[in-house]
Amino acid sequence: MVEAFKIIGGQPLKGTLKVEGAKNAALPIFVGTLIEKGTYILRNVPNLMDIRTLIKLLESLGLVIEKLDEHSYKIENKGITNLVASYDLVKKMRASFLVMGPMLAHEKRATVSLPGGCAIGSRPVDLHLKGFEALGVKINIEHGYVEAIADDLKGNKIVFDFPSVGATENVVMAAVKAKGTTIIENAAREPEIDDLCNFLNKMGAKITGIGTGTLIIEGVEKLYPCEYSIIPDRIVAGTFIIASLMFDGEIIVDGVVRNHIESFISKLEEMGAVFEIEGNILKVKSKLKDLKAGKATTMPHPGFATDLQSPMMTLMCLVNGTSEIKETIFENRFMHVPELNRMGAKISADSSTAIITGINNFSSAEVMASDLRAGASLILAALKANGESIVNRIYHVDRGYEKLEEKLRAIGANIVRFKAEI
Ligand code: UD1
């Protein structure tokens, strides 16, 4: 039996939705505490399943982790006691592969299970490995595990074929203590990478070029533990902004950093949305009926984020005219399309392009979340559809949205969690 949401949609939603810390920044930063012994304090960590999964993995490697309050942790690194990240723990979450870089920095060796595929695509780790090899690491893949070993990590120039988020993070963490200077060209530029680099610099690393496609990492002998607070989650913020647009601006979003989601905001403005942003508070000043069709293509940051593609599609379903979304980052990221169509949407899609014809409203139905962001798009649709919808397999949603049903209930949604048959 797995958990599902029962949602009676069509209720007006009004109030404030608070954005917590960014999952995708918290994960690499947690992993970064493997690099050097000492006691770390991390704050503004979201309370999510993915964080709990990662904590189990880090504990299996020898870290002692204590929860101080809902969003803060104390992490004690007294040395890595186990140099093997097992399949059991890595298969649950791909980001687990990030332990390889810090373990190499700390111990010059690591054995990490290959993560395997996932619902949205095959997601290889070739770019991570290419980066490590450039630093002098010998890689051997056997029995589903990557064994990495180096006499010495040496700085080098690395040019990524594609600005992979995970590969950039992994290689940066391996390079901070390498001998000499590492230059990563075509590095990913996501705000979560900036946050990781700022954390590492607070530990004493020497990383420049942060926020650009060229990261320069001057290796240092030693780093020092520190206290750090994670940035807000721009994907959760974007999802809540879509909710606000769908509910005529009655929802205020608290925790928006505009320059983290600039292309998303300007895409929505192109479609007719009007925003008022003061500090981190965003208010929508337009009505759903005023929005017009739009076109969005997912791109590495600062382009339109693939993680906001499915919530955007839900909004486009409710907008007059024909919209289009092109997915260029993952090969299989339209699994919400047939589910949205079960709710009355008119979307036709091949593997990379979806054409969305506007409808008046969704019709309630039983649907299934196939991954985290797909789940969010279905919940948004169910909140709007009149009548009872069931969204199955919400364990996906729990990976990335903290206490979603409590937050939605507090602004007027009729949503309950229950144990379902599927
Ligand atoms: C991260 C995010 C995820 C987001 C994605 C793209 C985390 C924990 N997850 O995932 O939410 O959707 O960025 O913004 O931060 N690729 C290769 N070889 C590699 C690595 C990646 O071919 O070695 C390909 C992938 O298959 C994919 C594309 O590059 O098609 C993007 O992947 P990447 O940027 O690495 O995403 P993740 O770090 O896995």
Side-chain angles (χ1 to χ4, degrees), residues 23-24 27 94-95 120 122-128 162-167 169 190 306-307 329-331 333 373:
K23 165 177 90 70
N24 288 353
L27 291 171
R94 284 187 48 86
I120 60 175
S122 62
R123 300 181 84 175
V125 289
D126 55 318
L127 297 170
H128 302 233
F162 178 86
S164 153
V165 172
E169 293 168 342
E190 271 66 5
T306 173
D307 286 348
I329 308 293
F330 290 108
E331 70 259 36
R333 217 176 191 183
R373 307 302 169 189

Side-chain angles (χ1 to χ4, degrees), residues 329-347:
I329 308 293
F330 290 108
E331 70 259 36
N332 195 16
R333 217 176 191 183
F334 281 154
M335 296 212 299
H336 44 287
V337 167
E339 300 299 301
L340 286 172
N341 281 345
R342 296 196 67 248
M343 299 184 75
K346 287 194 178 145
I347 310 167

Side-chain angles (χ1 to χ4, degrees), residues 216-229:
I216 301 163
I217 306 132
E218 231 183 278
V220 294
E221 287 263 310
K222 191 163 165 49
L223 299 179
Y224 301 89
C226 68
E227 185 170 336
Y228 195 79
S229 184

Side-chain angles (χ1 to χ4, degrees), residues 153-200:
L153 291 164
K154 289 200 189 81
N156 200 349
K157 182 165 175 173
I158 296 157
V159 184
F160 280 134
D161 296 339
F162 178 86
S164 153
V165 172
T168 303
E169 293 168 342
N170 225 341
V171 173
V172 166
M173 289 192 279
V176 283
K177 286 177 77 180
K179 291 210 166 82
T181 302
T182 300
I183 299 173
I184 307 179
E185 297 274 15
N186 204 18
R189 291 192 272 163
E190 271 66 5
E192 293 76 21
I193 292 177
D194 302 357
D195 210 30
L196 170 67
C197 291
N198 289 332
F199 165 72
L200 294 169

